[in-house]
Amino acid sequence: MKLYWAPKTRASRTVWLLEETGVAYDLETVDIRSETPHSDAFLAASPMGKVPALVDGEVAMSESAAICIYVADRYAPGRLAPANDAADRGKFLYWTMYTPAVIEPAMAEKFSGSDSNRHSHGWGDFDTMISTLEQGLDNGPWILGDDFTAADVMLGSSVVFMRLFGILPESPALSDYADRCLARPGYQAAMALEAD
């Protein structure tokens, strides 16, 4: 398995997930800001030239949430992803997609200072995004309760990011969640790679 990666990008969450699985993988650094054309192999996995991108045998794909679901299903079923017929599978999918579908658009809106319109924007608004996430963690310590999953990789990376950039509101639930994520060896391994 090969992961196309660049520092200080969403690819770090994919490294975190791969570390959680314990599966061996090769890392290829991509300069996503370079004007030099990317390799055909990379573009086959990521037509937009963005990281992360993953090649695993015949599988070539990009987008961190999609990669997290794929890797968890294939390499850690029942541990990092509920089985397809499990009762909490729908909840797992919802929360795994919550980062790209809700958190990231709400953060972009907040960073840009754009007017929010909770009723017409699919992501609601920043405050609704935060309160929904807090409520989702009510049965914690993880988003599905006692079990850490790939959904926590997606959500946890976003909560840590918001705290790092000073836009995470005062929230004991989210602050404690970020601390639990930061303490995971898989997260620490991903951050050690960033430091290198």
Side-chain angles (χ1 to χ4, degrees), residues 27-130:
L27 199 66
E28 184 166 322
T29 304
V30 177
D31 184 353
I32 58 171
R33 292 163 186 88
S34 171
E35 295 298 322
T36 305
H38 296 298
S39 71
D40 290 343
F42 171 58
L43 292 174
S46 179
M48 291 185 64
K50 305 237 180 225
V51 293
L54 183 80
V55 175
D56 184 24
E58 298 287 318
V59 175
M61 63 190 302
S62 60
E63 295 300 330
S64 59
I67 293 170
C68 281
I69 292 168
Y70 167 79
V71 169
D73 281 346
R74 181 156 187 188
Y75 294 103
R79 183 166 62 87
L80 292 176
N84 284 333
D85 60 353
D88 56 356
R89 179 66 180 193
K91 187 176 178 183
F92 165 77
L93 292 172
Y94 172 80
W95 287 115
T96 303
M97 297 308 299
Y98 195 77
T99 285
V102 179
I103 295 176
E104 289 177 356
M107 284 192 317
E109 186 177 79
K110 186 161 187 75
F111 280 131
S112 71
S114 300
D115 291 335
S116 61
N117 188 331
R118 178 176 181 276
H119 300 291
S120 65
H121 295 159
W123 58 88
D125 60 24
F126 189 84
D127 292 339
T128 303
M129 174 272 289
I130 291 291

